Amino acid sequence: MSDGSAFISLSAIEKRFGSLTVLKDITFDIGKGEFFSLLGASGCGKTTLLRILSGIEQPSAGTLLIDGQSMAGVPANKRPTNMVFQSYAIFPHLNVEENIGYGLRNVRIAKDEARQRVQEALELVKLNGLGTRNAHQLSGGQRQRVALARALVCRPKVLLLDEPLSALDKKLREEMQLELRALQRTVGITFVFVTHDQEEALTLSDRIAVMANGRVLQLDTPQGLYERPRSREVAEFIGTMNLLPGAVSQSDQSETMLDAGLVGTLGGRPIEVILDKGARAYLAVRPEQISLSATEPSDPARYSVAGEVAEAAYLGDRIHYQVRLTGLEKPMTVFVNNTERAVVRPLGSNVWLSWDRSVGLVLPG
Amino acid sequence: MGFGLLAPALTIMVLMLLLPVMALVMLSFWSQSGFDIDRSFTLENYWKLIEPSDEPTVWFGIPFYLKYPIPVILMIKSLVMSLVATIAVIGLAYPMAYFVAFRVRGNKAFWIILLTIPFWTSYLLRVFSWKIVLGFNGAINSGLMYLGLIDAPLEFLLYNPTAVIITLAHSWVAFAVLPIYVSLEKIDRSLLEAAADLGDSRWQRFWRITLPLSAPGTIAASLLVFIPTVGDYVTPTLVGGPGGTMIGSLVQLLFLRQDNAPLGSAVSIAMMLVIAVLVALLLWAIGYRKMRARRS
């Protein structure tokens, strides 16, 4: 867990390839021992940022400090970082032990100690007994473990992981997520993890930087990102979010009212800025915060709107509904937990959606 | 289906390679008597190559206790000269291939075409042009004399083993670039990044990753140069002079001048076997099969 001090400090990092700017004004700190994720769609610059941390790429502008040391002009082989590559980059001409011990040849330690550290690393990633296997005899999951052990055996101050789980199938990926999290707690090294999978980022991270178009959109804890997204992009990227477009009709510190056309006037908490009257905005409500009922709820602490079931999907533990509202182009998504033998409502039936007045968020349009 | 695709090549190989070689093998077990060939089976030709004698022939300080030592001496000499030429070729080709594979961005095909430009003229012309460069009144001598660095032409440039090696190296270097280039091009660049990340300097990365992973291509290139140059006879004949003769010159001499085709065949077959054994030993010693298996 983070102790709050800045262990890695990025300020005004910029990266250009020719005329293309792939990273712009990246400024944030990562704490010691933190599990930090860079999350974004492909092409958002997250991998480039990771490669800048590793020293494989140099930033076009800006400064990078790791453990108080400036990394300007420090090549990859002299940095206190090690990386797990997306392709794993297992050396094909070396066996598992030789792969894991590769970096130790560049450290001044006795041969016996190096051998012992390789064995410990093999145990750490549960590859005992496979030390003499050749690289091409390994499965995807095993290759991933070798790459992990090879990086960890060098005892880096920061471990960089470039989508290490994306090549694995779903079940193995979930297993590895748990293992990775446990491993990070055991070794206590700062992890910087790149992923495009928001669920993976939420599961693993202490904090997440959501990136798009070479910028950081929002940096927060998983809970903060999910519950207090500051922009429409983040709200849509993390989980599922219903967005009702409208115009601000009235606003103050605690509540902003939106005129959402035929849907009615609805309110929500403003995020950061208080929007001017008349400004375009979205009311954001999570699908699981919405209740679905056949009759209009009379609770004054709840907003309610009428709609028609357009789609219903039975998922076992819950039911997903798409509910069409008059005057709204996109149907609203509602998740109903299958707790008390919920009935799946037929398509076309008229229903009421309601949510607590305090749960909606107003995001700038 | 597979054999169908193979058939044209196989037919040509059998007709134009296997049959002549078999004829050569048969010929080597016959003997020459005057202008005719005696077709009774004999091992005499092979015996001649290794027939011992009490009087040693000394060559470079090494005594050869053989009655007819020329084939063995020329064999060893050819192997050594080819080996030196092969080393020179790899030394020249590897940096070129490395440059195209790692430093050229974009138009690699252009560079590969540039490398083949010497092949647009014939082998014979290229060898002849070396004669012009290295000759008594050749480019190097004239140039040095013009600059006033020497008074008389240097005589050691042409008609000796060095001239043969220089010419062979030049003739074969482009053949060696391609296999090395392919093996370098195939190396996943993230392996080099991983090596750097694990603390390797530029040189360490080359020794520990690039060189071992390009070894199969480099070995293939070496064999591609070594095997044909051992038996080459055009280059030694044109630029080698009396000191630069190789085993190919002897075969030509036996077949055409001395009219002893059976002995010439025996020399050829012996040479083929020696090269085959040497190559097999080399590949076994460096674990070529293992190397290839690991690459996949």
Side-chain angles (χ1 to χ4, degrees):
Chain A
M1 287 286 142
S2 170
D3 64 6
S5 64
F7 189 64
I8 302 173
S9 176
L10 301 114
S11 68
I13 296 280
E14 194 174 312
K15 178 69 184 175
R16 291 181 299 268
F17 291 114
S19 61
L20 190 73
T21 305
V22 293
L23 287 176
K24 224 184 229 169
D25 193 29
I26 303 288
T27 302
F28 59 82
D29 293 339
I30 299 174
K32 193 174 169 71
E34 197 170 13
F35 198 125
F36 191 92
S37 289
L38 298 170
L39 173 65
S42 61
C44 72
K46 57 193 192 300
T47 295
T48 307
L49 188 55
L50 197 75
R51 290 163 69 88
I52 285 173
L53 288 174
S54 78
I56 295 169
E57 301 277 1
Q58 299 297 325
S60 308
T63 54
L64 166 64
L65 302 180
I66 296 179
D67 200 11
Q69 304 279 313
S70 169
M71 289 293 127
V74 180
N77 54 327
K78 302 269 188 251
R79 290 200 183 185
T81 59
N82 282 114
M83 182 142 155
V84 176
F85 288 78
Q86 187 171 13
S87 62
Y88 308 144
I90 304 296
F91 303 124
H93 57 305
L94 303 176
N95 69 21
V96 169
E97 270 172 12
E98 289 164 337
N99 259 287
I100 295 174
Y102 193 94
L104 293 179
R105 290 262 299 267
N106 294 320
V107 189
R108 293 188 156 274
I109 52 167
K111 272 201 168 158
D112 285 345
E113 199 196 329
R115 204 169 302 135
Q116 198 191 331
R117 267 166 73 169
V118 169
Q119 289 309 321
E120 284 168 11
L122 276 170
E123 268 167 50
L124 190 68
V125 296
K126 299 173 185 158
L127 282 179
N128 323 33
L130 298 182
T132 53
R133 283 267 176 101
N134 278 332
H136 62 92
Q137 294 171 306
L138 299 175
S139 70
Q142 287 170 333
R143 294 169 83 86
Q144 202 261 339
R145 286 160 196 264
V146 172
L148 202 58
R150 186 176 70 180
L152 284 172
V153 82
C154 301
R155 301 192 181 152
K157 288 178 177 172
V158 182
L159 185 73
L160 308 169
L161 302 105
D162 187 6
E163 308 218 15
L165 308 178
S166 62
L168 308 178
D169 62 64
K170 189 169 182 282
K171 196 162 177 296
L172 193 57
R173 193 163 63 228
E174 282 167 2
E175 261 176 54
M176 284 307 295
Q177 281 175 6
L178 293 176
E179 270 189 46
L180 209 55
R181 187 74 241 225
L183 189 72
Q184 196 260 345
R185 289 208 181 96
T186 320
V187 295
I189 294 171
T190 307
F191 276 33
V192 182
F193 186 92
V194 159
T195 182
H196 66 268
D197 183 339
Q198 48 101 7
E199 211 176 296
E200 190 168 283
L202 292 178
T203 313
L204 291 170
S205 322
D206 293 320
R207 285 195 307 155
I208 301 168
V210 182
M211 293 181 67
N213 299 320
R215 291 171 184 277
V216 174
L217 293 177
Q218 189 172 349
L219 195 161
D220 213 329
T221 59
Q223 198 175 0
L225 282 177
Y226 190 81
E227 293 176 4
R228 294 179 300 280
R230 285 204 304 249
S231 60
R232 192 185 150 194
E233 288 92 335
V234 175
E236 282 186 313
F237 196 70
I238 309 282
T240 311
M241 184 69 100
N242 291 300
L243 292 166
L244 291 93
V248 176
S249 61
Q250 186 191 330
S251 69
D252 60 43
Q253 296 285 346
S254 59
E255 195 171 41
T256 301
M257 297 306 291
L258 275 189
D259 177 9
L262 291 172
V263 182
T265 301
L266 303 164
R269 279 177 297 138
I271 292 287
E272 281 200 339
V273 283
I274 295 169
L275 295 164
D276 293 332
K277 201 172 164 199
R280 305 290 309 162
Y282 290 93
L283 178 73
V285 188
R286 292 284 181 197
E288 67 277 14
Q289 290 170 327
I290 301 174
S291 303
L292 192 134
S293 55
T295 53
E296 183 173 7
S298 53
D299 190 347
R302 296 177 80 82
Y303 285 114
S304 51
V305 291
E308 183 190 309
V309 175
E311 202 66 67
Y314 180 78
L315 272 75
D317 60 339
R318 60 195 190 278
I319 303 160
H320 285 188
Y321 286 104
Q322 297 286 322
V323 178
R324 199 175 300 283
L325 306 190
T326 330
L328 203 62
E329 202 183 321
K330 234 178 124 190
M332 282 182 77
T333 305
V334 181
F335 299 164
V336 177
N337 277 332
N338 192 4
T339 40
E340 292 157 32
R341 292 159 54 67
V343 273
V344 182
R345 288 170 205 277
L347 301 190
S349 56
N350 291 316
V351 290
W352 284 87
L353 304 182
S354 68
W355 59 89
D356 196 283
R357 294 183 85 108
S358 65
V359 301
L361 296 174
V362 174
L363 301 172
Chain B
M1 185 63 196
F3 283 110
L5 288 172
L6 203 59
L10 210 59
T11 314
I12 290 173
M13 292 275 272
V14 168
L15 287 177
M16 313 193 75
L17 194 78
L18 197 60
L19 290 180
V21 168
M22 279 166 67
L24 213 59
V25 171
M26 269 160 68
L27 201 56
S28 74
F29 290 117
W30 295 339
S31 59
Q32 189 83 30
S33 66
F35 290 108
D36 295 321
I37 298 230
D38 179 355
R39 299 192 177 190
S40 49
F41 179 86
T42 172
L43 286 170
E44 200 188 320
N45 293 317
Y46 290 101
W47 173 243
K48 230 178 204 165
L49 300 181
I50 52 164
E51 193 179 352
S53 140
D54 297 333
E55 288 289 301
T57 307
V58 180
W59 180 69
F60 275 101
I62 313 161
F64 288 89
Y65 291 90
L66 295 168
K67 267 212 174 115
Y68 181 49
I70 294 168
V72 171
I73 289 175
L74 279 184
M75 182 85 238
I76 293 168
K77 190 176 157 196
S78 301
L79 290 172
V80 171
M81 280 168 70
S82 286
L83 189 68
V84 175
T86 305
I87 291 166
V89 164
I90 298 300
L92 290 169
Y94 199 97
M96 270 200 255
Y98 188 92
F99 174 80
V100 181
F102 286 97
R103 293 283 176 270
V104 175
R105 299 194 190 282
N107 218 340
K108 297 193 180 199
F110 172 73
W111 283 86
I112 299 289
I113 290 168
L114 275 189
L115 288 173
T116 65
I117 282 182
F119 291 90
W120 296 3
T121 57
S122 84
Y123 179 61
L124 209 57
L125 279 178
R126 272 177 285 138
V127 178
F128 263 119
S129 53
W130 273 105
K131 231 172 149 160
I132 296 167
V133 173
L134 300 170
F136 191 76
N137 290 317
I140 292 179
N141 276 330
S142 315
L144 290 175
M145 276 166 75
Y146 178 77
L147 292 171
L149 293 171
I150 50 170
D151 296 326
L154 301 169
E155 289 181 17
F156 63 81
L157 289 178
L158 194 56
Y159 301 127
N160 58 32
T162 315
V164 177
I165 289 166
I166 290 173
T167 310
L168 284 178
H170 169 254
S171 305
W172 288 91
V173 79
F175 285 110
V177 171
L178 274 178
I180 300 174
Y181 165 75
V182 169
S183 68
L184 286 171
E185 188 62 32
K186 261 168 51 185
I187 296 175
D188 181 356
R189 298 303 185 266
S190 69
L191 295 178
L192 296 168
E193 288 174 357
D197 183 66
L198 292 165
D200 271 5
S201 67
R202 201 177 270 271
W203 269 107
Q204 285 171 312
R205 238 143 56 203
F206 177 75
W207 285 113
R208 298 179 69 187
I209 307 292
T210 313
L211 199 59
L213 288 181
S214 63
T218 310
I219 290 162
S222 310
L223 296 181
L224 203 67
V225 176
F226 181 74
I227 294 169
T229 51
V230 175
D232 189 28
Y233 112 96
V234 174
T235 304
T237 306
L238 290 178
V239 301
T245 41
M246 290 169 77
I247 193 83
S249 320
L250 177 70
V251 174
Q252 187 250 3
L253 197 75
L254 287 170
F255 264 92
L256 302 177
R257 300 278 172 81
Q258 297 190 357
D259 208 11
N260 194 346
L263 185 59
S265 307
V267 171
S268 303
I269 299 296
M271 182 179 82
M272 261 171 62
L273 291 177
V274 168
I275 293 174
V277 168
L278 281 180
V279 167
L281 277 176
L282 175 87
L283 292 183
W284 171 77
I286 57 179
Y288 189 67
R289 270 161 52 126
K290 203 167 75 180
M291 209 183 295
R292 279 186 58 103
R294 280 191 181 182
R295 278 231 48 172
S296 56

